[in-house]
Amino acid sequence: QHLPALTALSPFPEFPYFIHIHAMKVKVLSRNPDDYVRETKLDIQRVPRNYDPSLHPFEVPREYTRALNATKLERVFAKPFLASLDGHRDGVNCMAKHPKSLSTMLSGSCDGEVVWNLTKRECVRTLQAHEGFVRGMVVRFCGTSFFTVGDDKTIKQWKMETPGYGEEEEPLNTILGKSVFTSIDHHQKEGVFVTCGQQVDIWDEQRSSPIRSFSWGVDSFSCVRFNPVETELLASCASDRSIVLYDMREATPLKKVIMNMRSNTLCWNPMEAYNFTCSNEDYNLYTYDMRYLDKPFTVHMDHVSAVLDVDYSPTGKEFVSASFDKTIRIFPKDSGHSREVYHTKRMQHVISIKWSSDNKYILSASDEMNIRLWKANAAEKLGLLAPREKAAVNYSQKLKEKFQHHPQIRRISHHRHLPKSIYSQTKELRVMKEARRRKERNVRKHSKPGSMPVVTEKEKHVVTVVK
Amino acid sequence: MFNSIPQKSDPFPGSAPVPEEKLKKFRRGVKGELPPRPQYKLRDVVIRSEAASDLAQKQNARYDLMLPEDAGFLEGDEDEDTCTISQDDIVDAVDITAGAKYFNLTLSQFGPYRLDYSKTGRHLLLGGRRGHVTCLDWQSKQLMCEMNVMETVNDVKWLHSEALFAVAQKKWLYIYDNKGIELHCIRKFNDVLRMQFLPYHFLLATASATGFLQYLDVSVGKEVVAICTKAGRLDVMAHNPHNAIIHLGHSNGTVTLWTPNQREPLVKMLCHQGGVRSVAVDKTGTYMVTSGMDKKLKVYDIRAYRPLQSYFLPAGASCLSLSQRGLLSAATGDIVQVYRDVWGIPVTKPYMAHRAKGSVWGVHFCPFEDVLGVGHGEGFTSMVVPGAGEPNFDGLDANPYRSAKQRQEWEVKALLEKIQPELIGLDPSQLSQVDHSTWEQRHEDRVQVLGFDPLAKEKFTPRLKTKGRSSSGKVEKRKKQVAHEDQRDVIRQTVEDRMKIDKERKEKEKKKAAAAGQKSALDRFRK
């Protein structure tokens, strides 16, 4: 296509006035700086915005780079250890959360002392509760008194407030039992508590003998817990590798599930009434739906030694587990692997663990007489955040979620330093598991097809359910 | 018994509708299909994120109505050609600040000038062939620095801000401060003829007379890669602002596309019958305009690599530049012509034209202003082209009115989100797509390790029943029942969905009919 030659411009620069006059409509962009520059130094800067995508190219690579930076910074700021509460003179055995006060926490140790700890990080009150181990403690739902059980076969109830000057530290009530009690838990609304030892006993606070006893051919129970939502239900861990479910209103236990190895403790999900997680001796934790006990909802595998205690976060989305292998792991409730692991050279076998009721802190009690305070989110900035800080944190969080599956970002966000023993133990366990799987695969390959059914990982750990 | 106060009902219920063209402007990517129903968690995540994305796009489209400035325009009378309107006429017709944007700098001593505008459009860099290098704030005519480097200057380019610029001198590449202080002399980059700066990657791409295409990372000062193009002297260079690909034009009529990740060109296009004289790419990365020694001006769609238009210019075009709003300036000899919308309906005449004082050596549109800068043998001319610049800039990206503090903050943020050169490719959004091939590879590896496919469905073997209920016919029937079960599920689901859609459509139609059927003569008195 031909374009016409340029129409003539005036060739005589001395005569700038043309013969033809143009009647035209013309507008040239001219911005008034007053609209774009601030008036005084005390104003904020003006930032006009245009969200046209052609003015903002490379959206995806820039967001990816921001996500990568956010992930790296999260690892840089991941310093979860806050404080160590010392004061105990023997290994700490159990802990109890105060239902109404975030800053109070009780702990019981192996020489019978029950120590109060204000989380001003100091000990507020000490009392000699039992001769021998303090096996379990629980604070009453109103927060005015608490119960402890110990190796001297007694249940003692104490007042929450510190005794006045000159007053002796005396329990409100002492109940003597026939055998050692191993755990205690209190009802959420009524004055009823349950202990377990050789059988599971339900006590009324006014009586000195249990109102009901459950037993199912087992000689010892290690842990009993009331359901926080369905307050009439309870569950207990027994020494015949089973978990037994009870209803307080019935005369006999409901049902029990027998597993391959014994469970140490269990914890009900505070948000979902029917789910509970138990910590097992075979290095795993199992989340069960209490309606379908034939196979666990999820198997959580990451520890390299027996898991001793488990506690749910108040949101019900995550839980924390304490293990004999000197580490604490935080698991999301539906995931098979942990999202976080905390360890310290000084922390030995972790016996008890609690997640604080404001969802921010984790308290771990270990057998070297220390209680440690950790952050639940290792990279979180504590304290009051400015609105811009909050917005930046939310933005980084969303970016990390969006790009979490990209290999480089996944590699950085999953990276955790582990002590040498745990790292090598993990590798060894993986090799062992791989070997077992390979053997099973070979047997299946060389036997008649269909004679060896595929048993899923979840079904492997449950032996039977008994009604 | 009281009658309730009659509530006025909103005649336009719901939120205001957004016009479709505005929504199309903000639409990104293609909505893929949802994952199948058994993957309920993934499906939920995808539905939610798509809803959030839709909301964001709608809000952007709504905000678009509130942008403060409008684009410029030039309209002549019915029988008048806009290309006959001269710069002086325009200056007479507009206000004094706009009129001041047309000026001439007479610098006839130091050779034809090449020019570059900074990304914000505020600062201008001029480099004369005989060594004169100057940078100034062209709106306030404030000189920042002026010097003579005493060597041939092939090209000048601003780096990421108005603080640094690069000058390709006779032998090596030099980096200067905006006060004229020489900061670096990079000897690895020799015989550089043309330079392009990729702003989001902080990469300076240089094309040399020896056929090397080199990338320099200006934030860390390292050479990223030196590619031997084996195509002879490289003196035609452009970059695609959408995906940071470098376009090189060669004397055999081909245009090649390069990334720093590959030693071979990504794409080779045969564009002209003679050599290629100039290349320009628009800001959305859709169109490429090339001009060649065969006096043709061709427009290509580089997303599909198709030729769109081909024009014949009697004298060819030596320099091309595309503005932010799609105006094309083509310079031949000492005449500069501006065309509007070359890729749509074929253009018959230029939008504007101007004769410069000397032969044109470089043209460049100023970002965010209706100005075209022309570097020629007698100096520099800045001409007014109404409708060239983007009227509304984004304050967080390139803000011509930024203060020093804002510039510092922007620089830090830009450095933090600097894109690595490995991510440069033809499709910049490749990172957001699902990598199916890797998933399939991983699945195959897992099947091999486990010995069976964990995602495969087990074959259904019916249980043998006693008392003659297990005859072969009955067994086959049972097998067919199971085989059709999942098909039945899918069919049931689609039927449910379709019924729901039908029901909704019927309700909508009923509502529309009810609203339409209420026309009465008294409607005019209704408020």
Side-chain angles (χ1 to χ4, degrees), chain B residues 142-332:
Chain B
Q142 200 180 20
L143 187 71
M144 283 157 63
C145 87
E146 183 176 21
M147 57 188 176
N148 193 307
V149 299
M150 310 302 269
E151 264 192 330
T152 311
V153 166
N154 291 323
D155 200 7
V156 286
K157 208 80 184 152
W158 283 110
L159 296 185
H160 57 275
S161 71
E162 66 269 19
L164 296 170
F165 59 88
V167 179
Q169 293 179 207
K170 174 168 161 206
K171 274 216 206 126
W172 300 309
L173 178 70
Y174 288 77
I175 310 263
Y176 293 90
D177 188 27
N178 62 4
K179 299 279 183 297
I181 307 166
E182 176 189 323
L183 296 175
H184 303 280
C185 164
I186 306 167
R187 280 191 276 269
K188 259 199 156 187
F189 288 65
N190 52 341
D191 307 305
V192 175
L193 290 179
R194 289 283 180 261
M195 296 189 288
Q196 291 286 326
F197 188 68
L198 307 172
Y200 296 97
H201 304 74
F202 283 77
L203 287 179
L204 182 68
T206 61
S208 77
T210 50
F212 272 82
L213 171 66
Q214 290 169 299
Y215 287 84
L216 172 72
D217 187 334
V218 302
S219 59
V220 290
K222 284 216 173 73
E223 181 198 42
V224 173
V225 70
I227 302 172
C228 177
T229 60
K230 302 195 185 78
R233 194 183 149 91
L234 304 170
D235 53 2
V236 176
M237 191 185 194
H239 90 273
N240 183 343
H242 177 69
N243 57 9
I245 301 273
I246 298 287
H247 294 232
L248 293 174
H250 306 285
S251 52
N252 56 5
T254 54
V255 169
T256 48
L257 275 59
W258 300 85
T259 65
N261 304 319
Q262 245 183 289
R263 299 262 146 196
E264 286 78 38
L266 286 173
V267 177
K268 266 196 218 176
M269 288 170 72
L270 179 64
C271 292
H272 290 277
Q273 281 183 325
V276 175
R277 281 182 88 184
S278 186
V279 180
V281 185
D282 84 316
K283 72 169 182 188
T284 58
T286 327
Y287 305 107
M288 174 173 76
V289 183
T290 61
S291 76
M293 299 289 276
D294 55 354
K295 299 186 185 147
K296 288 236 171 76
L297 181 89
K298 291 197 179 170
V299 182
Y300 292 88
D301 175 345
I302 35 177
R303 300 266 175 109
Y305 307 106
R306 296 186 303 122
L308 286 178
Q309 307 284 354
S310 171
Y311 302 104
F312 179 74
L313 297 174
S318 64
C319 303
L320 290 175
S321 177
L322 275 168
S323 87
Q324 281 174 325
R325 292 191 78 236
L327 268 66
L328 170 73
S329 78
T332 330

Side-chain angles (χ1 to χ4, degrees), chain A residues 68-79:
Chain A
L68 191 64
N69 290 344
T71 317
K72 288 182 186 171
L73 282 178
E74 190 198 1
R75 292 286 94 223
V76 166
F77 292 128
K79 295 180 184 160

